[in-house]
């Protein structure tokens, strides 16, 4: 890649971040790199820079020169990317036919898939797209064209004159295509006119093959391999949701409990809610606009089902995360023939904030217990309750940390070895007690020095644990009255 390396990235005196990328000729003919201004926001500038690098890499990989120059049209696109434009509009030429306009956009999209190109003239693009599909419907094998007889040509010319006399004329850009052999051709979309390996029409062919049917080869012509139809031509969004639920069930199934763990149940429940919020549709209809609408539904924070209350930002973010994981799986799985839109990585996934979100915020944003309330809880609480309370106050433990605490992780009246004291720069004695453990979620090692009250509570917990079987360093410290883990799921699979 032709670029200057940098150790740090600082804005210029005006506050703009810039990047020199690619090559061009100066007014004096000197070879130099082109400078792009990427805005004043660091994070947004980094996003624009990544897009520019991907665009340049896609272009430079097709060139033989060591220092290729930016083409004028591609440099215009790159400047729009540097300005933060997510979708590059492509204008239609003054004398460009609809089919030429559509083919040009498709070729640009296939050549530079990192950029989303959109037509300025949507109507002309749709007409050209229909024409390309018509071209693909023509058979691949050569069909002899009969010579046009003179009287037929004269009759056509006379008909045109008669129609012109009454104000009617054939449309120049939408001719009627006919062939003597079309009566034996079905509606299958085959390769024709456009080259089979032309990347510009791959997206159109994918949609066309979804409804294709096999056509026997013409009599007397060599047989050719049939175009492979879509594996799931009639698959719907709801069917994909159901298949994804089965994947989640298999992924989060615990053989020990013969149930899906709580996190897996949450994911499955959220997929069920996705189905309630979105309408069913064919996956072939799930294009960039449809996916953007699915994402926008959660960005706008819909109302809870059956109510008029807006969903909280946290809940909407959770559902949106589940939707994004589903789309990623749908793109990677071989069960369904669906490819994620190129513009998916550029779609806005920020959850909308409402004035009500800030109304409850104040100096004390977290509700806490007062010292007098903690004294009452410690005075009237049962010993087991005091263990839970002290582990929360002393170590910041929650449900998961308390339930997974092992006997061997509790080190009472045990000083650190000399080497560890040197590393920690913290002297300890045999009067000190600790909980030393690796956090299950992040794998980070941590130590908690214990209060005297916490030490007394853990001594009581150790004596209580000796009454249950399997007492050892790898056994859980805190169990229920029946000797079961505190986080054991209920019979219906819910969290305890």
């Amino acid at each position: 890649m032709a670029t200057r390396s940098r150790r740090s990235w600082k804005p210029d005196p005006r506050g703009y971040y810039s990047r020199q990328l690619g090559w061009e000729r100066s007014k004096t003919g000197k070879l130099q790199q082109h400078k792009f201004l990427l805005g004043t926001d660091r994070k947004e500038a980094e996003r624009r820079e990544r897009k520019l690098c991907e665009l340049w890499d896609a272009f430079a990989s097709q060139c033989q020169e060591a220092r290729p120059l930016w083409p004028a049209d591609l440099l215009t696109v790159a400047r729009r990317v540097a300005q933060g434009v997510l979708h590059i509009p492509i204008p239609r030429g003054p004398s460009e036919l609809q089919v030429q306009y559509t083919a040009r956009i498709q070729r640009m999209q296939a050549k530079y898939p990192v950029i989303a190109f959109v037509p300025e003239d949507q109507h002309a693009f749709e007409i050209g797209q229909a024409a390309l599909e018509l071209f693909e419907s023509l058979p691949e094998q050569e069909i002899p064209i009969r010579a046009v007889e003179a009287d037929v040509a004269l009759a056509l010319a006379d008909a045109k004159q008669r129609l012109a006399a009454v104000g009617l004329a054939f449309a120049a850009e939408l001719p009627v295509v006919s062939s003597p052999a079309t009566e034996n051709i079905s509606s299958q979309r085959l390769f024709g006119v456009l080259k089979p390996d032309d990347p510009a029409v791959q997206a159109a062919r994918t949609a066309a093959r979804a409804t294709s049917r096999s056509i026997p080869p013409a009599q007397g012509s060599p047989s050719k391999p049939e175009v492979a139809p879509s594996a799931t031509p009639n698959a719907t969004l709801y069917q994909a949701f159901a298949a994804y639920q089965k994947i989640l069930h298999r992924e989060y199934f615990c053989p020990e409990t013969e149930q899906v763990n709580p996190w897996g149940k949450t994911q499955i429940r959220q997929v069920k809610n996705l189905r309630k919020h979105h309408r069913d549709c064919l996956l072939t209809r799930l294009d960039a606009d449809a996916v953007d609408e699915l994402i926008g539904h959660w960005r706008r924070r819909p109302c809870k089902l059956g109510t008029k209350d807006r969903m909280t930002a946290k809940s909407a973010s959770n559902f949106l995360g589940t939707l994004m994981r589903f789309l990623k799986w749908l793109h990677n799985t071989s069960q369904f023939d669906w490819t994620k839109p190129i513009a998916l990585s550029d779609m806005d996934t920020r959850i909308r904030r409402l004035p009500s979100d800030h109304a409850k915020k104040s100096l004390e944003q977290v509700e806490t217990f007062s010292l007098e309330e903690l004294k009452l809880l410690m005075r009237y609480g049962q010993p087991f309750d005091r263990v839970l309370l002290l582990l929360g106050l002393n170590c910041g433990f929650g449900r998961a940390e308390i339930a997974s605490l092992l006997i061997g992780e509790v080190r009472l009246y045990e000083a650190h070895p000399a080497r560890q004291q040197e590393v920690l720069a913290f002297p300890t004695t045999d009067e000190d007690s600790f909980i030393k453990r690796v956090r299950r979620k992040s794998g980070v090692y941590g130590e908690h020095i214990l209060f005297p009250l916490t030490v007394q509570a853990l001594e009581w917990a150790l004596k209580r644990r000796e009454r249950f079987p399997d007492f050892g360093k790898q056994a859980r410290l805190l169990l229920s009255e029946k000797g079961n883990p505190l986080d054991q799921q209920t019979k219906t699979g819910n969290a305890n």
Side-chain angles (χ1 to χ4, degrees):
M1 180 190 302
T3 180
R4 293 181 179 176
S5 61
R6 63 167 185 265
R7 295 183 179 179
S8 61
W9 199 13
K10 297 181 180 179
D12 61 15
R14 298 176 298 170
Y16 284 89
Y17 292 93
S18 63
R19 175 67 188 268
Q20 290 181 314
L21 182 66
W23 300 95
E24 64 180 357
R25 293 286 181 183
S26 65
K27 295 181 180 180
T28 59
K30 183 180 178 181
L31 191 65
Q32 64 180 16
Q33 289 186 297
H34 187 83
K35 183 177 181 180
F36 295 95
L37 296 180
L38 306 177
T40 58
D41 183 78
R42 173 67 180 268
K43 189 170 293 185
E44 176 65 17
E46 290 175 348
R47 188 194 68 81
R48 298 177 187 179
E49 180 191 29
R50 287 194 300 269
K51 281 293 181 183
L52 284 175
C53 291
E54 292 174 356
L55 179 62
W56 173 256
D57 289 342
F59 165 71
S61 62
Q62 304 169 11
C63 301
Q64 301 295 332
E65 302 87 352
R67 295 182 175 183
L69 303 180
W70 278 106
D73 54 347
L74 189 60
L75 183 58
T76 302
V77 172
R79 286 170 177 163
R80 299 295 297 274
V81 173
Q83 295 171 359
V85 180
L86 299 179
H87 303 87
I88 307 300
I90 304 300
R92 181 187 175 191
S95 59
E96 192 174 26
L97 298 180
Q98 292 99 325
V99 65
Q100 296 171 341
Y101 179 51
T102 303
R104 180 164 63 91
I105 294 177
Q106 290 180 346
R107 287 190 176 91
M108 292 176 65
Q109 189 65 81
K111 193 172 183 180
Y112 306 109
V114 298
I115 306 298
F117 297 99
V118 295
E120 279 190 355
D121 191 340
Q122 184 66 29
H123 180 66
F125 179 81
E126 292 177 356
I127 293 177
Q129 204 168 29
L132 288 178
E133 294 179 1
L134 176 63
F135 291 161
E136 288 192 22
S137 69
L138 297 178
E140 186 178 8
Q141 61 267 21
E142 295 183 1
I143 298 178
I145 301 177
R146 295 179 297 187
V148 180
E149 299 178 1
D151 56 348
V152 175
L154 292 175
L156 288 174
D158 182 62
K160 287 183 180 181
Q161 292 179 0
R162 291 176 181 272
L163 290 173
V166 294
L168 298 177
F170 287 111
E173 294 182 345
L174 297 175
V176 178
V177 180
S178 62
S179 170
T182 54
E183 58 187 8
N184 297 324
I185 299 175
S186 67
S187 61
Q188 181 192 17
R189 306 194 183 278
L190 297 177
F191 298 150
V193 182
L194 298 179
K195 296 180 180 179
D197 58 347
D198 190 342
V201 295
Q202 293 301 319
R205 284 177 181 160
T206 300
R209 290 170 186 166
T211 55
S212 64
R213 291 177 291 181
S214 60
I215 299 178
Q219 188 175 3
S221 62
S223 61
K224 297 184 178 181
E226 297 180 357
V227 178
S230 172
T232 53
N234 299 317
T236 64
L237 180 62
Y238 282 5
Q239 292 174 354
F241 279 149
Y244 185 55
Q245 286 176 316
K246 294 180 180 179
I247 295 295
L248 292 174
H249 188 279
R250 184 170 68 246
E251 178 70 20
Y252 296 104
F253 182 81
C254 296
E256 299 84 3
T257 60
E258 296 185 352
Q259 292 177 334
V260 179
N261 64 26
W263 172 246
K265 280 185 169 291
T266 300
Q267 294 294 294
I268 294 173
R269 184 173 63 253
Q270 288 181 348
V271 175
K272 291 180 180 179
N273 283 330
L274 290 180
R275 175 169 177 159
K276 294 178 182 178
H277 278 266
H278 299 299
R279 294 182 179 179
D280 196 13
C281 67
L282 291 173
L283 291 182
T284 54
R285 300 279 186 179
L286 204 61
D287 54 9
D289 291 337
V291 171
D292 187 53
E293 179 56 32
L294 294 180
I295 295 174
H297 176 80
W298 298 107
R299 285 188 58 250
R300 295 186 291 269
R301 292 170 59 176
C303 294
K304 301 176 184 177
L305 293 175
T307 69
K308 294 184 179 180
D309 299 330
R310 283 288 188 94
M311 191 174 290
T312 63
K314 181 63 176 178
S315 297
S317 177
N318 291 337
F319 282 114
L320 182 55
T322 302
L323 176 63
M324 299 302 290
R325 287 189 291 272
F326 163 74
L327 294 175
K328 181 180 179 180
W329 168 83
L330 187 60
H331 172 76
N332 294 327
T333 184
S334 58
Q335 296 185 39
F336 299 95
D337 189 8
W338 185 82
T339 303
K340 64 180 180 181
I342 297 174
L344 179 61
S345 59
D346 292 330
M347 292 182 182
D348 191 359
T349 57
R350 294 173 295 182
I351 302 299
R352 180 177 298 174
R353 294 291 176 177
L354 302 176
S356 58
D357 297 338
H358 310 288
K360 298 180 180 180
K361 289 189 176 182
S362 61
L363 180 62
E364 296 183 359
Q365 298 184 17
V366 179
E367 188 175 358
T368 58
F369 290 96
S370 66
L371 182 58
E372 295 300 324
E373 291 171 334
L374 292 175
K375 288 180 179 179
L376 286 174
L377 291 173
M378 287 296 295
R379 180 181 303 171
Y380 296 105
Q382 297 297 318
F384 189 81
D385 301 330
R386 294 173 183 173
V387 174
L388 303 181
L389 181 61
L390 287 167
L391 287 176
L393 291 172
N394 193 160
C395 308
F397 283 180
R399 171 183 176 274
E401 291 81 8
I402 292 176
S404 61
L405 182 62
L406 304 181
I407 295 175
E409 294 173 339
V410 178
R411 307 290 184 86
L412 301 182
Y413 307 111
E414 181 181 314
H416 287 80
R419 175 57 182 164
Q420 293 185 12
Q421 294 188 38
E422 180 183 354
V423 172
L424 296 174
F426 183 78
T428 61
T429 67
D430 288 336
E431 296 181 358
D432 296 322
S433 300
F434 299 87
I435 288 180
K436 303 178 181 181
R437 71 197 310 261
V438 175
R439 193 181 184 202
R440 308 298 189 265
K441 185 175 182 180
S442 61
V444 177
Y445 174 78
E447 296 186 8
H448 306 271
I449 190 168
L450 302 179
F451 304 153
L453 278 178
T454 309
V455 174
Q456 295 178 24
L458 290 176
E459 288 176 336
W460 175 89
L462 286 169
K463 291 180 181 179
R464 175 181 179 271
R465 180 62 178 82
E466 291 177 355
R467 297 190 284 114
F468 299 101
D470 300 327
F471 184 86
K473 290 186 176 182
Q474 297 301 319
R476 298 196 184 195
L477 174 61
L478 299 175
L479 301 176
S480 67
E481 290 293 337
K482 296 182 179 180
N484 297 322
L486 296 181
D487 56 356
Q488 179 176 328
Q489 294 174 252
T490 63
K491 294 181 179 180
T492 57
N494 295 321
N496 196 322

